[in-house]
Amino acid sequence: MSALLTVQGLKVHFPLARKGLFGPRRAVHAVDGVSFEVRRGETFGIVGESGSGKSTTALAVMRLAPITGGEILLDGAPLDRLQGNALRAMRKRLQIIFQDPYSSLNPRFRAGDIVREPLDLMGIGTKAEREARVAELFRNVGLRPEQQALFPHQFSGGQRQRIGIARALATQPELIVCDEPVSALDVAIQAQILNLLQRLQREFGLTYLFISHDLGVVQYMCDHVAVMYLGVIVEQGDRVALFRQPMHPYTNALLAAVPAADIARNRARQRIKLSGDPPSPIDPPPGCRFAGRCPFAEPRCHAEVPALREVLPGHRVACHLVDDAGIGPHQRAAPAA
Ligand code: SF4
Ligand code: MG
């Protein structure tokens, strides 16, 4: 499978006001050198706590966050440098589903107008063609075409997310960025929306960049997963390998926080409790960004940045203490009694 999306060395820094006349310019390092590839037809997950930079990465791919460094290629074309008409043409191929179906739909617009809006903005089809297309989109996402006349507040949360999905599908995109698409929904509704996204992926050959803090959801949806912490990827691999044998102490800690029944075949997991909060992304610490919360940290962890290296085929990790067989420090530690 070829890469549809390539993100190379992406940085998103938000500058802060200068502190003192001669002081260095400080910045929030929201995304600090992130690289990954999303293959055509797959679901690529980015998982992390809030503040990890996962949503900012998604927004940068959509050109909705300022890109400070690196590049983003869609099918080989430099998304980060497109302007004007070229950018508008590219937007057809790239859409986003937002987290909150309550705030992402304009309450003054009827559902049909919301779904039709991207077609209007991009001038796709005649008026009659757009109307037929919107009715078809409503059916695609499990809504009735008659519901086009209703306003967002007349729908349930799950139905509102279906409207958001229909809108994202309108321009027949190849890549859809799903930014926490079910986090705002009841658990019972989450499964319906996830199953809908999977069905649409099969039907329309979609590729998803899927952002979530929920490992259960990521395990259900994703083929490949990147784990982000404080603006960097700390581990990346295919879903089965990553959930079965997390190499990075942070990935292990995230998995340990999920009820065991949710994560298959991961019995021998050391229970590491995550304590404290991630440090500030303003002036992130030198060395390993997880060192302040890592129970295995050594002096060099605080001084040297661990490189993201491929330890097993397709499985990459950034930790000084993972050996060449992919055994992390949590797997060497004596098992808890
Ligand atoms: Fe922990 Fe050191 Fe590995 Fe960072 S590099 S995760 S501090 S052991
Ligand atoms: Mg977010």
Side-chain angles (χ1 to χ4, degrees):
M1 269 190 295
S2 58
L4 178 60
L5 179 73
T6 304
V7 173
Q8 194 58 49
L10 177 67
K11 290 186 184 179
V12 181
H13 293 177
F14 299 101
L16 298 172
R18 202 178 282 275
K19 190 187 167 208
L21 199 51
F22 301 106
R25 179 111 190 200
R26 303 172 79 210
V28 178
H29 296 221
V31 179
D32 220 3
V34 158
S35 303
F36 59 90
E37 274 188 357
V38 181
R39 295 175 207 178
R40 206 176 280 281
E42 77 162 337
T43 300
F44 186 95
I46 302 181
V47 68
E49 294 169 282
S50 67
S52 62
K54 59 189 192 305
S55 285
T56 308
T57 301
L59 293 176
V61 168
M62 293 301 300
R63 290 281 306 264
L64 297 171
I67 297 165
T68 322
E71 59 177 8
I72 301 174
L73 305 173
L74 185 69
D75 220 0
L79 208 54
D80 53 297
R81 293 197 293 275
L82 295 180
Q83 301 290 345
N85 285 338
L87 180 59
R88 269 190 293 281
M90 194 56 88
R91 284 221 189 283
K92 277 185 207 169
R93 306 175 61 186
L94 187 64
Q95 291 291 322
I96 185 165
I97 299 166
F98 291 103
Q99 171 174 357
D100 189 352
Y102 299 88
S103 63
S104 66
L105 304 181
N106 189 328
R108 291 186 300 272
F109 281 19
R110 294 181 192 275
D113 297 335
I114 290 171
V115 173
R116 206 187 57 243
E117 193 181 25
L119 300 174
D120 293 343
L121 286 174
M122 295 184 196
I124 297 172
T126 62
K127 191 164 180 291
E129 282 167 347
R130 287 178 213 175
E131 272 163 22
R133 174 84 181 122
V134 172
E136 181 193 358
L137 286 162
F138 268 65
R139 282 190 290 266
N140 285 337
V141 299
L143 295 170
R144 284 176 287 111
E146 311 85 82
Q147 291 175 296
Q148 287 181 68
L150 302 178
F151 288 94
H153 74 267
Q154 295 173 288
F155 291 91
S156 67
Q159 287 175 321
R160 273 185 254 197
Q161 195 56 301
R162 287 173 194 267
I163 297 169
I165 293 168
R167 178 178 57 187
L169 288 173
T171 62
Q172 297 186 289
E174 291 155 73
L175 178 73
I176 299 185
V177 174
C178 307
D179 185 12
E180 301 261 16
V182 298
S183 308
L185 303 174
D186 292 344
V187 175
I189 307 298
Q190 288 188 2
Q192 293 175 13
I193 297 296
L194 295 176
N195 290 336
L196 172 65
L197 288 171
Q198 288 187 339
R199 175 169 68 71
L200 294 169
Q201 181 171 47
R202 285 193 300 272
E203 237 164 85
F204 301 117
L206 298 167
T207 305
Y208 292 143
L209 176 61
F210 195 96
I211 312 298
S212 181
H213 71 280
D214 185 329
L215 282 148
V217 168
V218 166
Q219 190 187 26
Y220 187 65
M221 291 297 287
C222 299
D223 302 296
H224 288 93
V225 180
V227 180
M228 281 189 75
Y229 186 79
L230 213 62
V232 298
I233 292 176
V234 296
E235 183 164 1
Q236 187 183 329
D238 81 65
R239 176 202 37 179
V240 175
L242 193 119
F243 280 86
R244 190 179 290 168
Q245 191 195 351
M247 295 180 188
H248 197 283
Y250 178 64
T251 312
N252 185 68
L254 281 182
L255 284 170
V258 177
D262 284 7
I263 308 286
R265 289 188 294 268
N266 197 11
R267 299 182 199 95
R269 195 183 304 130
Q270 262 274 107
R271 297 242 152 210
I272 301 172
K273 269 252 175 333
L274 271 181
S275 54
D277 291 320
S280 164
I282 304 169
D283 307 327
C288 173
R289 294 192 177 186
F290 188 53
R293 297 168 85 194
C294 180
F296 309 104
E298 297 181 347
R300 78 165 155 157
C301 299
H302 294 279
E304 268 173 57
V305 177
L308 185 66
R309 64 200 163 94
E310 187 161 358
V311 174
L312 296 176
H315 196 160
R316 295 195 277 175
V317 66
C319 170
H320 292 306
L321 300 190
V322 172
D323 67 19
D324 291 342
I327 305 298
H330 49 282
Q331 291 163 300
R332 281 193 293 274

